[in-house]
Each structure stands twice: as C-alpha cells, then as structure tokens.
Amino acid sequence: MSGICVAGLEEFGIAPVEAMAAGAPVIGLGRGGLLDTVRCASAELKEPSGVLFPDQSVESLVQAVEWFEQERIWRSLDSESIRAWAKRFRAEAFAARFESALRMAWSTHQRGCAVAASDPAEMKGLRL
C-alpha cells in the first residue's frame, strides 16, 4: 500500500483525510493542517497514520519517500487504525466535539456569573 504525497501547505487538507479513511498512509508536508490530521511514524506516536517531511523542498520530499520505502514503514502502519483515526475528522465527530466544548465554555461562564443564566437549548425561538 502506498501513501499520498502532499507537497504543499494545507490549512486542513481533505485529500489526506480521505486517503486515511481508505486505510492508506499519508506522506505530506509537516505544516498546517497535516500536523493535526497525520500521526507521523517518525515521531514514535501510537498508531501512526503516515510520514511528515519538514521542508517544502524536493530534497525533503525525496528523503521522506525513500525512508518510507527503504525502512518499509508501511509494514508498521495498520490500515484499520489509520481508518479509525480518519473517522475523528468526520463532520458528525467534529460537531459532537464542538458541542461538548461549547457546553463546557457555557458551564464555565455560568459559574462566573453573579446571576445564573439559563440553558440556551431551552430558550424559546433559539434553534440549536
């Protein structure tokens, strides 16, 4: 199984997430959104999902691909764990995490108020 090479700066980068959702490891530039979406094998992280290279240069990309091939990195990358990692970036998963963070912030805000506010989910006319 081979990875997708992303040689440019991505703010989020849907293509690498889609590749991981298919169980394929990613080889990409270690900047921008890929720092959040790709778990780099060289960082000795649990269940890596690809390889990140440091510089936007031909040499850096070539070194990453050669290391991936020569060290047979794909053997240590489990396609099921790569798929599971990619599921964290589904819209439903993002919405659930966002709602949780919003509720925590609301709860913190309420504790800091002199007068307790109501739950916005119970306010008439407010659609959540």
Side-chain angles (χ1 to χ4, degrees):
M1 178 183 333
S2 60
I4 180 173
C5 290
V6 180
L9 181 62
E10 297 273 352
E11 288 182 18
F12 174 74
I14 194 67
V17 173
E18 288 175 341
M20 290 184 294
V26 171
I27 300 173
L29 178 62
R31 294 192 189 154
L34 270 66
L35 291 172
D36 296 323
T37 59
V38 178
R39 296 177 56 85
C40 187
S42 67
E44 298 180 20
L45 297 171
K46 183 180 177 186
E47 299 178 342
S49 62
V51 172
L52 297 174
F53 54 92
D55 302 311
Q56 191 172 4
S57 67
V58 172
E59 298 85 24
S60 189
L61 173 58
V62 168
Q63 287 175 353
V65 172
E66 286 178 348
W67 181 71
F68 186 84
E69 291 294 323
Q70 290 171 357
E71 299 297 320
R72 299 175 184 221
I73 300 301
W74 69 87
R75 289 185 176 180
S76 65
L77 303 176
D78 178 61
S79 62
E80 285 305 314
S81 68
I82 293 172
R83 275 191 210 55
W85 175 253
K87 285 182 181 181
R88 296 177 43 87
F89 303 100
R90 293 185 344 238
E92 301 85 4
F94 174 80
R97 286 193 312 274
F98 183 76
E99 181 180 352
S100 176
L102 188 58
R103 289 193 178 278
M104 284 181 12
W106 181 251
S107 178
T108 300
H109 169 74
Q110 283 183 310
R111 285 192 302 272
C113 289
V115 177
S118 62
D119 184 346
E122 296 173 3
M123 296 174 139
K124 291 183 181 180
L126 181 64
R127 292 186 181 150
L128 295 176

